[in-house]
Amino acid sequence: MSSNAAFTSVSMRQNLVPPTQGLVPISSSSASPLVSSTPSSNTRPTGSPFDWPPPVRLYVQRSFAPENTKKGVSNQDLEAKLKLVIKEAAESNQLRLLDWDEMLLPQEMLWNERAATVKPINSPWRALSSLGAQELKSTNGSHPKKRKSAERDNNPHSEDIDPPWRKASNRGIVEARAPKQPSVHNDRAEKRQRKNQEKVSVGDGSSKSYHSLEKRKRRFEDDQPSVQSSQPYIQARDTSPLPNPDEGPIVGRSQTLEKQFFRLTSAPNPDSVRPLPILEQTLELLKLKWRKESNYAYICDQFKSLRQDLTVQHIKNEFTVNVYEIHARIALEKGDLGEYNQCQTQLRALYPQNLGGHPPEFKAYRILYLIHTCNRTDMNDVLADLTQAEKYQPAIQHALDVRSALALGNYHKFFRLYLETPNMGAYLMDMFVVRERVAALANICRAYKPNVKIRFITEELGFESDGESVEFLVELDAQTLLEESDDGLRLLTGAAGSIFETAKNAAFRRVDIKGQI
């Protein structure tokens, strides 16, 4: 055997601990599996979940609890942030030292980080917090994480929102930002948005958007009161220091009884808002003027201004209910279903708060209104919400009888009920009584032949006189069906043909009302 052996003999190792002295450097390609597979205590960032302390496990459970879900924070973002928090705590040897019960959840950390990068909102009327603004941007299809990545690097105060252990270590910043794949649709939408913004910002006023904004601005500046009154109006858009949204609703300081209605485009000015005592005086003045002048354009404008002052001050009491009820009755009297529906919608939200008023009366109005609009879906909802006690209220019982008569095709009972309508329900029934008369005439022409007396038509269809019946027939182009006889004027039902059927089909077309509930 040659003296130059092909290997170098070494002493046998007695344990698995690597030698600390005289160790020959080993390249990565020839590293021993035993040495490379033995991890150091300093290279384990987080460890196995089974090694986590119980507070950390509870922290993870709270992070994924449904009640802690934050809108705009996806599960992917939540998982990435949670891993980062636990990793950084483990790297800084604080996994067992931190108070995980008081630790912010990952979604809350993401929420605060995004809020810190949002630019201040210039419109005080929106009174939105930074969190609310970020939520709106997230739901509109933007990329909050990409925006956070771009703005966080340029934010000199970004360190103020970091957890305590992140200040000691700058690692993990890149991992905190989970990249998203670019969306072609969103890119195109952002390009269109930038293009529109450039058009609006054109100084020479050549774009259509710019002209529209300038036209709207001039309309508000040049708009003058159209109704003359003994007391001067005050403008609702006077400039004054804007209220702090965190301080709650404003309290008006204006002492003017009458004020023209303006749709608010900024935060309300307390100097132009009337407090509750002044609003009560205003209501008495409006009721007096309505009885004397009956100027609906003026009264409607004043009531809308009155309702606006109640809304901006968050006043919800018996007086608020009274204002909406009076305005709804006046709108019904003038046939303004748009304003009536706005008042009815607010009353439906106020009545459950037990603030007073007349709920049975307006529930009966709603049933009659749904009959007018042929809205069977909402009618079923209203009927399901009625209690047994409400069904025995006279106004509601009358409205239910009207519905039943029409459902059964009993026009004789319907027109008897029409002549006995309580409260102001007759104004609503007037809106659909014409079509029901046409439908009843079509049935009479099929059932009574060859003719019937005009007096019979007058009594069955709820007319006040025979002359009114004849005028109604003439409006339907049925004058050729009228014939004089020894016992009076008669309607030739046998020769009617499809005259009334055609008129019935035209009368029952879908009703589309502005401001429909």
Side-chain angles (χ1 to χ4, degrees):
M1 183 174 178
S2 175
S3 61
N4 294 330
F7 61 91
T8 302
S9 61
V10 295
S11 60
M12 184 177 62
R13 181 179 298 175
Q14 302 297 327
N15 52 43
L16 297 178
V17 178
T20 58
Q21 294 181 354
L23 188 64
V24 179
I26 302 177
S27 62
S28 60
S29 60
S30 61
S32 172
L34 182 60
V35 176
S36 61
S37 60
T38 304
S40 174
S41 59
N42 297 328
T43 60
R44 295 179 56 185
T46 59
S48 172
F50 297 100
D51 299 335
W52 291 348
V56 179
R57 300 181 188 178
L58 294 176
Y59 179 76
V60 174
Q61 294 177 3
R62 291 200 310 274
S63 301
F64 290 96
E67 60 270 15
N68 295 328
T69 303
K70 287 286 188 180
K71 190 173 182 181
V73 179
S74 63
N75 290 334
Q76 181 180 1
D77 299 343
L78 175 61
E79 293 176 2
K81 187 65 177 179
L82 180 61
K83 292 179 181 178
L84 180 64
V85 169
I86 298 177
K87 177 181 177 181
E88 293 180 347
E91 289 178 349
S92 58
N93 295 326
Q94 298 187 17
L95 195 62
R96 300 179 181 274
L97 300 178
L98 292 175
D99 187 0
W100 293 96
D101 294 333
E102 299 296 332
M103 178 75 65
L104 288 178
L105 297 178
Q107 53 266 41
E108 295 176 349
M109 294 181 184
L110 291 172
W111 194 267
N112 294 337
E113 292 173 3
R114 296 174 183 177
T117 60
V118 176
K119 296 181 180 179
I121 300 174
N122 296 327
S123 175
W125 171 238
R126 292 177 178 267
L128 292 174
S129 64
S130 299
L131 298 182
Q134 183 64 29
E135 177 183 354
L136 293 176
K137 292 180 180 180
S138 300
T139 55
N140 287 335
S142 62
H143 297 277
K145 297 196 70 177
K146 294 176 68 177
R147 182 172 60 254
K148 182 189 72 173
S149 302
E151 295 178 358
R152 181 187 174 93
D153 296 338
N154 299 326
N155 187 3
H157 304 288
S158 59
E159 296 181 357
D160 297 338
I161 61 174
D162 289 342
W165 60 87
R166 173 171 286 183
K167 295 182 179 180
S169 174
N170 293 328
R171 292 175 297 178
I173 296 180
V174 178
E175 291 84 345
R177 309 187 187 108
K180 285 188 176 181
Q181 295 296 330
S183 173
V184 178
H185 174 74
N186 292 335
D187 291 343
R188 292 177 179 175
E190 292 176 358
K191 290 181 180 178
R192 287 195 298 268
Q193 184 177 4
R194 288 196 299 269
K195 186 176 180 180
N196 292 334
Q197 292 177 353
E198 292 174 358
K199 288 184 178 180
V200 173
S201 61
V202 173
D204 57 0
S206 58
S207 66
K208 183 177 179 181
S209 301
Y210 180 84
H211 285 299
S212 300
L213 292 176
E214 288 297 318
K215 183 178 179 181
R216 178 177 176 84
K217 181 178 179 181
R218 289 194 300 270
R219 177 167 63 86
F220 278 102
E221 291 176 351
D222 301 337
D223 194 12
Q224 298 295 333
S226 58
V227 182
Q228 300 297 330
S229 175
S230 58
Q231 297 189 14
Y233 292 110
I234 64 174
Q235 298 292 335
R237 307 194 317 272
D238 297 338
T239 58
S240 70
L242 298 175
N244 187 356
D246 298 333
E247 297 178 357
I250 66 171
V251 177
R253 298 191 291 263
S254 175
Q255 300 297 313
T256 306
L257 295 182
E258 298 173 270
K259 184 182 76 172
Q260 190 176 10
F261 171 74
F262 281 105
R263 194 173 302 277
L264 293 176
T265 58
S266 61
N269 182 3
D271 294 332
S272 61
V273 176
R274 297 161 291 184
L276 181 58
I278 301 300
L279 294 177
E280 293 175 348
Q281 299 177 28
T282 299
L283 179 61
E284 295 300 325
L285 176 64
L286 295 181
K287 291 193 293 185
L288 180 62
K289 285 198 171 187
W290 174 248
R291 286 192 294 266
K292 289 183 177 180
E293 303 174 7
S294 297
N295 186 348
Y296 179 70
Y298 164 77
I299 290 295
C300 182
D301 181 80
Q302 292 298 308
F303 264 99
K304 291 173 68 174
S305 176
L306 178 59
R307 288 159 41 190
Q308 185 183 71
D309 287 352
L310 290 173
T311 301
V312 298
Q313 297 179 91
H314 298 190
I315 298 176
K316 293 183 179 181
N317 52 22
E318 186 176 1
F319 174 76
T320 307
V321 176
N322 191 25
V323 168
Y324 279 101
E325 287 184 345
I326 293 175
H327 194 186
R329 293 189 186 102
I330 294 176
L332 274 183
E333 185 175 348
K334 290 299 180 179
D336 188 354
L337 286 184
E339 290 299 329
Y340 161 77
N341 284 333
Q342 293 182 24
C343 297
Q344 178 74 288
T345 302
Q346 294 299 323
L347 289 172
R348 291 177 60 199
L350 292 172
Y351 283 145
Q353 302 179 30
N354 298 322
L355 301 175
H358 304 82
E361 176 186 353
F362 281 86
K363 286 186 178 180
Y365 293 159
R366 177 156 176 77
I367 294 174
L368 295 177
Y369 171 80
L370 295 176
I371 294 175
H372 168 52
T373 56
C374 302
N375 193 335
R376 295 181 177 86
T377 302
D378 287 350
M379 176 68 77
N380 293 335
D381 295 338
V382 171
L383 297 180
D385 293 338
L386 289 177
T387 63
Q388 289 296 328
E390 290 175 336
K391 291 180 181 179
Y392 288 101
Q393 294 287 338
I396 296 180
Q397 188 174 13
H398 174 271
L400 294 176
D401 291 341
V402 171
R403 173 192 168 275
S404 177
L406 291 178
L408 297 174
N410 189 347
Y411 59 84
H412 177 83
K413 181 179 179 180
F414 170 79
F415 289 106
R416 298 287 78 77
L417 293 170
Y418 170 67
L419 298 176
E420 302 170 357
T421 308
N423 301 323
M424 301 183 68
Y427 290 103
L428 279 168
M429 294 189 69
D430 284 340
M431 298 178 184
F432 60 89
V433 71
V434 173
R435 76 183 186 205
E436 300 302 335
R437 280 172 173 164
V438 174
L441 273 176
N443 293 335
I444 289 174
C445 289
R446 287 196 299 267
Y448 297 89
K449 293 185 179 181
N451 54 61
V452 294
K453 293 181 179 181
I454 290 297
R455 188 60 193 172
F456 174 79
I457 299 295
T458 301
E459 295 175 352
E460 285 296 315
L461 302 188
F463 290 108
E464 295 182 357
S465 63
D466 293 348
E468 188 178 351
S469 303
V470 173
E471 291 179 3
F472 181 74
L473 293 171
V474 172
E475 292 177 356
L476 297 177
D477 295 331
Q479 59 271 18
T480 57
L481 302 179
L482 298 177
E483 183 182 66
E484 288 284 351
S485 62
D486 296 338
D487 54 353
L489 195 61
R490 287 180 171 269
L491 175 65
L492 302 178
T493 56
S498 61
I499 294 178
F500 299 118
E501 288 290 341
T502 303
K504 173 184 173 182
N505 295 334
F508 276 87
R509 288 175 182 170
R510 186 172 182 84
V511 181
D512 187 11
I513 305 297
K514 184 195 76 155
Q516 181 174 342
I517 299 176

